Structures are given as C-alpha cells and as structure tokens.
Amino acid sequence: MRLIRDPAILALMGMQITVWAGLFYSFPALVLEWQAEFGWRSPEIMGAFTLAIAIYALGAPLYGRLIDRGAAPLSLPLGTVIGAGLLLGLTGIETLWAFYLIWAAMGVIMGLSLYEATFAIVTRAKGPAVRQAITAITLVGGFASTLAYPLSHWLTEIGGWRLALYVFAALNLVLAAPLATFAATRLERDARADQPKETEDVAAPPARLLRRSEYWLAAIGFAASALTLGIFVSHLLPIMAAQGVPDDLAILAAALIGPSQVIGRIAMMAAGPHIPAIRIAQLAMGTVALGAVMMAAAGWVAGVVLLFGFLQGAGHGVVGIMRPVVAREVFGQRDFGAISGAVATPYLLLFALAPFLGAALFGLAGYGPVLILCVLAPLAGAVLLNRLPRN
C-alpha cells in the first residue's frame, strides 16, 4: 500500500498505538487494581470512564470544526502532552472525586488525540484516498490493546499500577508528541495546498445535518455497535472472571483482540472496491454479535473465549474504519471534521454509557442479560445501516 510509505501516515501509526494504550486502554487494563487498592464498587469506578467518554463525545463536533479550520498542528501534539500529565496525576490520587476529576479532563484530551481527530485531519488532507489512509493508521493502532493489557500486567507485577502509568506517560511524551507534531503539520500543509479541490464537494452544513434521516440512520446504527464495544472494553476481565475463564487465558484473549483488529482490516483491504462500505460495516457488526455469542459460550467451554477475542477484534476493527468512511460517502468531504464529529457523538455517548449500564445490569441479574444485550445491539445497528443510500 502506497500510503504506508507516506511519512505522515507512518507517524500517525506510531502516535495512535501510543495514545490509545495510555489514554484509553490504561483504564480497563488497570481497573481491577484500582478496585483492589481503594475498595471502590464497580459502578462507582466505571462511572469515571463513562464521564470521560461522554465529555469526549459531546466535544467531538467542536474538535472536528477546529481541525476543519486548520488547528491540527497544535491540537494533536497538545493532547498527547497534557494526556501524559494526567496519567502522572492519576498516580497520586487518594479519593474517588479526584479520580473522576482526572478522567473528566482525560475526556477532553481524548478528543484532541484519538481517532476522531486523526480521521478528520487525514480526510482533510487525503480526500478520496481516505479509506486507505485510515486503514493504514488503524492497522497499527489496533495493537494498542495488545500493548496495553500485557504491558500493564507485567509492569504491575514488577512495581504496581503506578509504574504502569509512569511508563504510559513517558511513551506519550517521548514518542507520541513528536510524531503528532510532524504528522499534523505535514498533513495540514497538504490540505491547504489542495484546498480548491476540497471545496468542490457538496455537503450538508453541520447545522442542517440533524434534519436529514440519513444522519440518524448512520449515527444510531453505528452507536448500537458501540454499546457492545463499550461493555466489553470496560468489563472484559470481570466478565471473563464471572464466566470462569482462568486468568492466563483471559489475558491471552484480551491480547488477541488487537491483532484480530488488524486481521479484520487486512481482509477489508482485500475486499477493496468490490464490496460497498455500508455492506462491509454490516458484516463487521454481525461479526461483533457472533463474538458476543462466543463469550456467552465461554461459561461452558472456557477456551471459546479465544474465538471471542478474534471475532470481537476483527469486527470492531472494521466498524471503526467504516464509520468515517460511510460518513464521507453519504455526506461528502466539505466540513468533514464537524460532520464526522456529529456522526460520532451518539456513538461515543452510547460507548460512554456502556460501562455504567453493564455494571448496573450485572448488579441486578449478573452478566447473562449483559451478554444478550451485546449480541442484539450490533445486529440492530446493521439493520439500520441497511436503509442508507448506496453509491
């Protein structure tokens, strides 16, 4: 793939695996450590993650608009630097309110650093080649969970969970920040050079987007799949423990999700232009649902959890790419950052609600109803996407 040789895309690959591992996956990777040390109940601690993702979601259109206006060279590296500071701040917490305060701030920083911001600047610079560019970035970014879970586990055994946060903070400062600066500066330069071509696209202004049925079909369709992802990301280790999966097998299944995302994305690349983006998204949502079925079956055969890890990773790896790709195909490229943020907001809000909802359902009736919801939600999303117009 030609784009994998593009220095800016290569830089974003390295940046994204680092920021996702530190600013996002550090929470689910260390949640059991925090519960054990501070004695906080599951709904209490998961509420902090919900708050972070909700703030990220509500700010997504604003962050996208900033990138539309050329702010990426400042916003992307700033997010990595402040994020490192917040990770360091977590090492000194003693109270639940301080924990919530730091994760609320982390929600703002996620909007400056994670995929939404990256996809916006890449779409702004690459135009019709955006699917290939996003795929290239997420091929490596998909390994973030593979890095975060084993690295956190190993560092925690050596020096406790605070050592893990020190390492994640250092990686963001030393690696992610310089890569973000280089990539964003170069892509913004390319975007400005191609500005006349970009304005040829016709898109619905973001203010009018909410009146279009296509917006609600796309936004709610992808949001439904986010519910399953959010539950499994935040409750992955507790769910596997409740299913009776041994610890070593649980860590292996969690680590398998990252490589499986890459496998799913490679399969999507092989499909190329032969399968419409909407159809690929629907197939990926079906894969996510099947993965949830495998997690339910792990209560009887623990080894099936490895199949869960493969299906869940492959499915969500493709869904993550298809959301901005489908948004561009349906709504055009002009003002894409703001439009993509608007499409992402319900997705991220439902993702934010998922940890708390999963904890509440578990408290009421165990993980059985949680797993049923994880099966049905992505199937409902696939049905909604089926009503979108196809190019």
Side-chain angles (χ1 to χ4, degrees):
M1 178 188 279
R2 179 176 58 83
L3 282 166
I4 294 183
R5 298 193 295 271
D6 185 321
I9 301 301
L10 287 170
L12 287 176
M13 290 179 185
M15 175 215 170
Q16 285 299 301
I17 190 173
T18 306
V19 295
W20 273 98
L23 307 187
F24 185 90
Y25 284 110
S26 61
F27 191 106
L30 297 174
V31 63
L32 294 181
E33 299 295 328
W34 292 325
Q35 285 182 292
E37 177 162 336
F38 298 109
W40 299 329
R41 294 183 298 112
S42 180
E44 291 176 332
I45 196 167
M46 289 301 177
F49 203 42
T50 295
L51 178 62
I53 305 302
I55 291 173
Y56 174 23
L58 293 173
L62 173 61
Y63 304 138
R65 186 173 292 277
L66 288 174
I67 290 174
D68 288 338
R69 301 299 179 261
L74 174 63
S75 62
L76 260 68
L78 184 64
T80 64
V81 172
I82 298 177
L86 293 173
L87 289 172
L88 292 175
L90 279 172
T91 64
I93 61 165
E94 295 181 355
T95 62
L96 186 61
W97 71 263
F99 186 75
Y100 268 68
L101 183 62
I102 289 179
W103 279 104
M106 194 74 82
V108 176
I109 298 309
M110 287 177 183
L112 298 177
S113 307
L114 299 185
Y115 278 154
E116 292 307 316
T118 301
F119 293 165
I121 183 58
V122 169
T123 301
R124 176 171 164 79
K126 296 300 180 183
V130 64
R131 185 194 292 199
Q132 293 81 7
I134 289 174
T135 302
I137 293 165
T138 55
L139 281 176
V140 174
F143 284 107
S145 62
T146 307
L147 171 66
Y149 283 104
L151 182 60
S152 297
H153 183 70
W154 177 62
L155 291 172
T156 298
E157 287 191 335
I158 293 175
W161 60 268
R162 290 175 177 84
L163 176 61
L165 290 177
Y166 288 137
V167 171
F168 284 133
L171 288 173
N172 271 269
L173 282 175
V174 175
L175 182 62
L179 291 175
T181 301
F182 169 77
T185 301
R186 184 160 182 153
L187 289 171
E188 179 59 28
R189 182 197 66 193
D190 294 345
R192 289 183 182 275
D194 293 338
Q195 198 73 31
K197 296 179 182 179
E198 180 181 325
T199 57
E200 292 175 3
D201 288 329
V202 177
R208 296 171 53 194
L209 199 63
L210 300 183
R211 296 198 293 268
R212 295 185 60 177
S213 61
E214 295 95 332
Y215 167 75
W216 294 106
L217 290 171
I220 298 176
F222 281 105
S225 70
L227 188 60
T228 298
L229 174 62
I231 288 174
F232 279 130
V233 164
S234 56
H235 291 270
L236 184 58
L237 298 181
I239 286 177
M240 287 193 281
Q243 294 289 85
V245 178
D247 289 346
D248 290 344
L249 189 58
I251 293 297
L252 180 59
L256 185 61
I257 292 175
S260 299
Q261 289 182 18
V262 176
I263 292 172
R265 288 161 184 165
I266 291 174
M268 187 203 72
M269 289 168 57
H274 305 297
I275 304 178
I278 292 173
R279 185 66 68 197
I280 291 175
Q282 290 176 305
L283 291 172
M285 290 177 183
T287 302
V288 169
L290 183 58
V293 172
M294 293 301 103
M295 176 61 83
W300 292 277
V301 182
V304 176
V305 77
L306 297 178
L307 188 55
F308 153 80
F310 174 78
L311 293 170
Q312 198 71 16
H316 276 299
V318 174
V319 170
I321 294 175
M322 287 297 102
R323 180 162 47 83
V325 171
V326 169
R328 184 184 182 277
E329 290 188 358
V330 174
F331 304 110
Q333 183 171 326
R334 186 178 177 185
D335 292 323
F336 178 81
I339 290 173
S340 178
V343 173
T345 296
Y347 178 94
L348 294 170
L349 283 174
L350 205 53
F351 183 88
L353 179 63
F356 178 79
L357 180 59
L361 283 177
F362 169 70
L364 290 174
Y367 276 121
V370 175
L371 292 174
I372 292 173
L373 179 61
C374 288
V375 173
L376 295 180
L379 294 178
V383 171
L384 288 172
L385 292 191
N386 199 53
R387 299 187 60 188
L388 282 174
R390 289 170 171 77
N391 293 336

